[in-house]
PDB file of all heavy atoms in Angstrom:
ATOM      1  N   HIS E  47     -43.323 -81.786  50.753  1.00 98.00           N
ATOM      2  CA  HIS E  47     -44.709 -81.721  50.338  1.00 98.00           C
ATOM      3  C   HIS E  47     -45.040 -83.063  49.714  1.00 98.00           C
ATOM      4  O   HIS E  47     -44.251 -83.749  49.032  1.00 98.00           O
ATOM      5  CB  HIS E  47     -44.939 -80.586  49.359  1.00 98.00           C
ATOM      6  CG  HIS E  47     -44.876 -79.184  49.988  1.00 98.00           C
ATOM      7  ND1 HIS E  47     -45.318 -78.057  49.533  1.00 98.00           N
ATOM      8  CD2 HIS E  47     -44.295 -78.810  51.247  1.00 98.00           C
ATOM      9  CE1 HIS E  47     -45.056 -77.039  50.219  1.00 98.00           C
ATOM     10  NE2 HIS E  47     -44.490 -77.519  51.390  1.00 98.00           N
ATOM     11  N   ALA E  48     -46.432 -83.463  49.708  1.00 98.00           N
ATOM     12  CA  ALA E  48     -46.874 -84.598  49.204  1.00 98.00           C
ATOM     13  C   ALA E  48     -46.519 -84.896  47.738  1.00 98.00           C
ATOM     14  O   ALA E  48     -46.148 -85.994  47.435  1.00 98.00           O
ATOM     15  CB  ALA E  48     -48.357 -84.740  49.437  1.00 98.00           C
ATOM     16  N   GLU E  49     -46.752 -83.838  46.995  1.00 98.00           N
ATOM     17  CA  GLU E  49     -46.554 -83.922  45.508  1.00 98.00           C
ATOM     18  C   GLU E  49     -45.071 -84.265  45.248  1.00 98.00           C
ATOM     19  O   GLU E  49     -44.687 -85.082  44.407  1.00 98.00           O
ATOM     20  CB  GLU E  49     -46.942 -82.649  44.800  1.00 98.00           C
ATOM     21  CG  GLU E  49     -48.385 -82.381  44.847  1.00 98.00           C
ATOM     22  CD  GLU E  49     -48.649 -81.403  46.143  1.00 98.00           C
ATOM     23  OE1 GLU E  49     -48.001 -81.455  47.228  1.00 98.00           O
ATOM     24  OE2 GLU E  49     -49.636 -80.505  45.942  1.00 98.00           O
ATOM     25  N   VAL E  50     -44.152 -83.579  45.964  1.00 98.00           N
ATOM     26  CA  VAL E  50     -42.703 -83.760  45.631  1.00 98.00           C
ATOM     27  C   VAL E  50     -42.361 -85.200  46.147  1.00 98.00           C
ATOM     28  O   VAL E  50     -41.612 -85.779  45.350  1.00 98.00           O
ATOM     29  CB  VAL E  50     -41.879 -82.651  46.463  1.00 98.00           C
ATOM     30  CG1 VAL E  50     -40.402 -82.977  46.536  1.00 98.00           C
ATOM     31  CG2 VAL E  50     -42.042 -81.220  45.881  1.00 98.00           C
ATOM     32  N   PRO E  76     -51.666 -77.749  43.995  1.00 97.00           N
ATOM     33  CA  PRO E  76     -50.165 -77.585  44.252  1.00 97.00           C
ATOM     34  C   PRO E  76     -49.682 -76.224  44.504  1.00 97.00           C
ATOM     35  O   PRO E  76     -50.125 -75.304  43.786  1.00 97.00           O
ATOM     36  CB  PRO E  76     -49.596 -78.257  42.901  1.00 97.00           C
ATOM     37  CG  PRO E  76     -50.750 -78.955  42.262  1.00 97.00           C
ATOM     38  CD  PRO E  76     -52.015 -78.208  42.625  1.00 97.00           C
ATOM     39  N   CYS E  77     -48.714 -76.067  45.439  1.00 96.00           N
ATOM     40  CA  CYS E  77     -48.154 -74.777  45.742  1.00 96.00           C
ATOM     41  C   CYS E  77     -47.133 -74.522  44.521  1.00 96.00           C
ATOM     42  O   CYS E  77     -46.905 -75.399  43.761  1.00 96.00           O
ATOM     43  CB  CYS E  77     -47.492 -74.808  46.980  1.00 96.00           C
ATOM     44  SG  CYS E  77     -46.012 -75.679  47.024  1.00 96.00           S
ATOM     45  N   PRO E  78     -46.620 -73.302  44.401  1.00 95.00           N
ATOM     46  CA  PRO E  78     -45.724 -72.974  43.306  1.00 95.00           C
ATOM     47  C   PRO E  78     -44.482 -73.938  43.244  1.00 95.00           C
ATOM     48  O   PRO E  78     -44.110 -74.389  42.094  1.00 95.00           O
ATOM     49  CB  PRO E  78     -45.309 -71.674  43.573  1.00 95.00           C
ATOM     50  CG  PRO E  78     -46.476 -71.031  44.191  1.00 95.00           C
ATOM     51  CD  PRO E  78     -47.014 -72.079  45.148  1.00 95.00           C
ATOM     52  N   MET E  79     -43.984 -74.361  44.398  1.00 96.00           N
ATOM     53  CA  MET E  79     -42.828 -75.343  44.456  1.00 96.00           C
ATOM     54  C   MET E  79     -43.209 -76.739  43.860  1.00 96.00           C
ATOM     55  O   MET E  79     -42.567 -77.263  42.971  1.00 96.00           O
ATOM     56  CB  MET E  79     -42.291 -75.538  45.832  1.00 96.00           C
ATOM     57  CG  MET E  79     -41.250 -76.617  45.975  1.00 96.00           C
ATOM     58  SD  MET E  79     -40.794 -77.003  47.670  1.00 96.00           S
ATOM     59  CE  MET E  79     -42.179 -77.964  48.302  1.00 96.00           C
ATOM     60  N   CYS E  80     -44.363 -77.173  44.289  1.00 98.00           N
ATOM     61  CA  CYS E  80     -44.959 -78.478  43.688  1.00 98.00           C
ATOM     62  C   CYS E  80     -45.310 -78.320  42.122  1.00 98.00           C
ATOM     63  O   CYS E  80     -45.063 -79.281  41.444  1.00 98.00           O
ATOM     64  CB  CYS E  80     -45.986 -79.010  44.631  1.00 98.00           C
ATOM     65  SG  CYS E  80     -45.485 -79.396  46.206  1.00 98.00           S
ATOM     66  N   LEU E  81     -45.822 -77.267  41.868  1.00 97.00           N
ATOM     67  CA  LEU E  81     -46.234 -77.060  40.533  1.00 97.00           C
ATOM     68  C   LEU E  81     -44.975 -77.105  39.626  1.00 97.00           C
ATOM     69  O   LEU E  81     -44.881 -77.684  38.567  1.00 97.00           O
ATOM     70  CB  LEU E  81     -46.863 -75.714  40.350  1.00 97.00           C
ATOM     71  CG  LEU E  81     -47.742 -75.379  39.061  1.00 97.00           C
ATOM     72  CD1 LEU E  81     -48.783 -76.426  38.845  1.00 97.00           C
ATOM     73  CD2 LEU E  81     -48.237 -74.014  39.092  1.00 97.00           C
TER      74      LEU E  81
HETATM   75 ZN1  LIG A   1     -46.353 -77.830  47.650  1.00 94.99          ZN
END
Side-chain angles (χ1 to χ4, degrees):
H47 290 194
E49 299 94 322
V50 168
C77 74
M79 174 184 75
C80 291
L81 196 60

